[in-house]
Amino acid sequence: MKKLFTNLTFWVLTAITLGVLLGHYYPSVALQPILEKPIKFNLWISEFEIKTTFSEFLSSLFISIVKLFINPIIFVTITLGIISMGDLKKVGKVGAKALLYFEVVTTIALIVGVLVANIIRPGDGVMTEAIQGGDISKYTKSAVAFSWWKFFWDNVTLQVLVVAIVSGIVISGRSIRHKVVEFLTPVSKTIFWGLHKVMLLAPIGAFGGMAFTISKYGIKTLLPLAKLMLTVYVTMALFVFVVLYFVLRYYQVSIFKFLRYIREELLIVLGTSSSEAGLPSLMEKLERMGCSKSVVGLVVPAGYSFNLDGTTIYLSMAVIFLAQVFNVHLDLGQILTIIGILMITSKGAAGVTGSGFIVLASTLSAIKVIPVEGLALLLGVDRFMSEARAITNFIGNGVATIWIANNEKEFNRHKMGYAFGHVERFEDIKTDNLD
């Protein structure tokens, strides 16, 4: 029993349960304003937005604190990784291989989403009268043409990734490389030590995120679009347990053991609906299970921008769903066009505020056969589906890192065996140093 109470997974799961109960039975408490207006400010290493209501305040505060660690960890990890790797050709090879992997897997995700949506047809029978209830103007106004420059400019993580790569390349060829390693190594350990302390607040963030979702939208909002939600969740599960299963099986890695290993992070992502909340911890756990620091540092940050498997599936299914709602018949050419457009626009989903709807609005505007106003149908249930998107994105980036580390022979299977066999040790909230 004592071991249970020192397990962070137990507390996160308890917090999620309490959040659901508070949101359902006492929604006025969860939505009680505690600030007059949201607090917003930007640092280059992070962007803060603290929300006003009680439940959102807790969730957004936790996510903002975690985001403080993401870019410093990315910078230190990548810089150290490139310097220690030494071979710059290998750095370019890993980066190119990662981008190719991302494109192949996200294209498979797109095709899976389109196929399942056409087989189950969740949009048949949905009443379009519900469209009158949503305001989509802020999304349609932002639905501008995709721009790689805007994508880069809005994505601080990608900027840090580029700066870190350039820094690593420049330093690796200089005589000061050993001094830089001596300086950055303790810095890295200090950052991760701080992260361990912050993760103790994860139950509070998960409680707030779940309480807000249930209190604002309510269980009843799920019923009219329950078929769409069920279809999305089933598709995400198929993608994880079929596509990603075989991706890992290629190198004899068990998807089930990996999910058990990162279960704590999955619960945090579930509670907060944000893959950012678990990103730094995922990077650390991937290193501890045998992936080299350099591969983790390159693949995870790049995947956060380019390997959004869950978001890709959702976008493809949402387009097909709205076509079915409005009885718009899409021929094979139009479906292939949608897949082609989403292959580009979905890559910008991590770099734009309100990304899901903006990218979706951009896609609908581009194909010009499905009314953009249909987005209002999705407003009520989008928050409930964001958990599935975030979790699938999160798992997909972990799988990509493991696959590429194995492919590059930068993977230690002895470490993997130890990590998978001692999951509880990595979840003990009293453990500060596992090295």
Side-chain angles (χ1 to χ4, degrees):
M1 183 63 70
K2 182 179 179 181
K3 184 66 177 176
L4 181 66
F5 288 120
T6 60
N7 188 279
L8 188 58
T9 298
F10 167 77
W11 289 110
V12 172
L13 193 57
T14 301
I16 290 174
T17 304
L18 292 175
V20 171
L21 294 175
L22 177 68
H24 183 65
Y25 291 106
Y26 302 98
S28 59
V29 175
L31 296 177
Q32 179 68 35
I34 60 175
L35 295 175
E36 291 185 2
K37 60 182 180 179
I39 301 173
K40 296 182 180 181
F41 57 94
N42 291 306
L43 296 173
W44 187 62
I45 61 171
S46 186
E47 177 181 294
F48 294 86
E49 183 175 3
I50 310 301
K51 302 296 182 66
T52 59
T53 63
F54 167 66
S55 55
E56 272 193 303
F57 176 86
L58 296 177
S59 178
S60 60
L61 180 62
F62 170 71
I63 293 173
S64 292
I65 294 174
V66 171
K67 286 171 70 174
L68 269 177
F69 289 84
I70 293 176
N71 292 321
I73 286 175
I74 289 172
F75 178 81
V76 172
T77 304
I78 293 179
T79 305
L80 280 173
I82 292 176
I83 294 174
S84 60
M85 191 179 289
D87 186 358
L88 297 183
K89 289 184 178 179
K90 189 171 184 179
V91 175
K93 180 183 173 185
V94 172
K97 191 173 292 185
L99 292 177
L100 178 61
Y101 173 95
F102 297 157
E103 192 56 56
V104 170
V105 174
T106 52
T107 300
I108 293 173
L110 274 174
I111 295 172
V112 168
V114 169
L115 287 176
V116 175
N118 276 294
I119 292 171
I120 300 181
R121 300 190 64 81
D124 289 349
V126 175
M127 304 300 291
T128 56
E129 284 80 359
I131 292 176
Q132 304 302 321
D135 178 17
I136 62 166
S137 59
K138 61 180 178 180
Y139 303 112
T140 54
K141 289 178 182 177
S142 300
V144 295
F146 180 81
S147 164
W148 284 108
W149 172 249
K150 180 175 175 57
F151 174 45
F152 178 79
W153 187 254
D154 290 338
N155 196 322
V156 177
T157 300
L158 197 57
Q159 295 170 28
V160 174
L161 176 64
V162 172
V163 171
I165 291 174
V166 172
S167 300
I169 291 172
V170 171
I171 295 170
S172 63
R174 305 295 175 116
S175 58
I176 62 169
R177 60 193 299 265
H178 298 295
K179 292 184 178 179
V180 173
V181 170
E182 290 177 0
F183 171 73
L184 289 182
T185 299
V187 170
S188 175
K189 290 183 178 180
T190 301
I191 292 173
F192 277 111
W193 176 85
L195 176 64
H196 290 156
K197 298 301 182 184
V198 170
M199 293 310 291
L200 299 181
L201 302 175
I204 298 175
F207 168 79
M210 195 57 68
F212 170 75
T213 299
I214 300 299
S215 60
K216 183 171 183 178
Y217 299 105
I219 302 296
K220 291 186 291 186
T221 61
L222 306 182
L223 298 179
L225 300 177
K227 189 176 180 182
L228 172 63
M229 284 196 59
L230 180 61
T231 304
V232 169
Y233 273 84
V234 167
T235 306
M236 302 284 186
L238 284 173
F239 181 79
V240 171
F241 294 110
V242 177
V243 177
L244 297 185
Y245 167 83
F246 282 107
V247 169
L248 285 187
R249 188 181 177 185
Y250 184 81
Y251 286 112
Q252 286 80 51
V253 179
S254 169
I255 185 73
F256 302 102
K257 290 182 179 179
F258 175 61
L259 294 180
R260 180 172 178 267
Y261 175 58
I262 61 168
R263 63 190 181 188
E264 174 186 311
E265 286 72 25
L266 291 177
L267 286 174
I268 293 170
V269 172
L270 172 67
T272 60
S273 298
S274 170
S275 57
E276 291 177 329
L279 191 65
S281 186
L282 174 67
M283 294 177 70
E284 185 180 25
K285 279 198 169 181
L286 287 169
E287 285 186 45
R288 293 193 182 281
M289 70 168 283
C291 298
S292 70
K293 182 183 289 288
S294 55
V295 171
V296 172
L298 282 170
V299 177
V300 175
Y304 176 70
S305 297
F306 295 101
N307 189 41
L308 304 173
D309 299 329
T311 302
T312 301
I313 290 173
Y314 170 73
L315 292 173
S316 62
M317 298 191 76
V319 172
I320 302 300
F321 166 77
L322 292 177
Q324 293 165 358
V325 168
F326 290 102
N327 293 314
V328 175
H329 174 72
L330 299 174
D331 57 33
L332 180 59
Q334 289 172 316
I335 291 176
L336 292 176
T337 300
I338 290 171
I339 292 175
I341 293 172
L342 285 173
M343 283 174 65
I344 299 174
T345 56
S346 63
K347 297 300 181 293
V352 185
T353 304
S355 58
F357 278 98
I358 294 173
V359 171
L360 199 51
S362 299
T363 305
L364 295 179
S365 300
I367 59 177
K368 300 183 186 303
V369 293
I370 303 170
V372 179
E373 291 73 20
L375 288 176
L377 276 173
L378 302 173
L379 288 173
V381 296
D382 180 73
R383 177 78 185 197
F384 290 97
M385 291 187 286
S386 65
E387 286 92 348
R389 294 200 300 268
I391 288 175
T392 307
N393 291 340
F394 191 77
I395 296 171
N397 282 323
V399 169
T401 307
I402 295 170
W403 193 92
I404 292 172
N406 274 278
N407 189 262
E408 285 293 306
K409 296 181 174 54
E410 295 278 348
F411 190 76
N412 187 323
R413 303 193 74 85
H414 294 295
K415 282 188 175 182
M416 180 186 74
Y418 181 84
F420 285 176
H422 298 81
V423 175
E424 290 77 10
R425 185 170 182 239
F426 292 91
E427 296 177 345
D428 191 335
I429 62 176
K430 292 181 179 180
T431 301
D432 294 327
N433 191 347
L434 295 172
D435 290 323

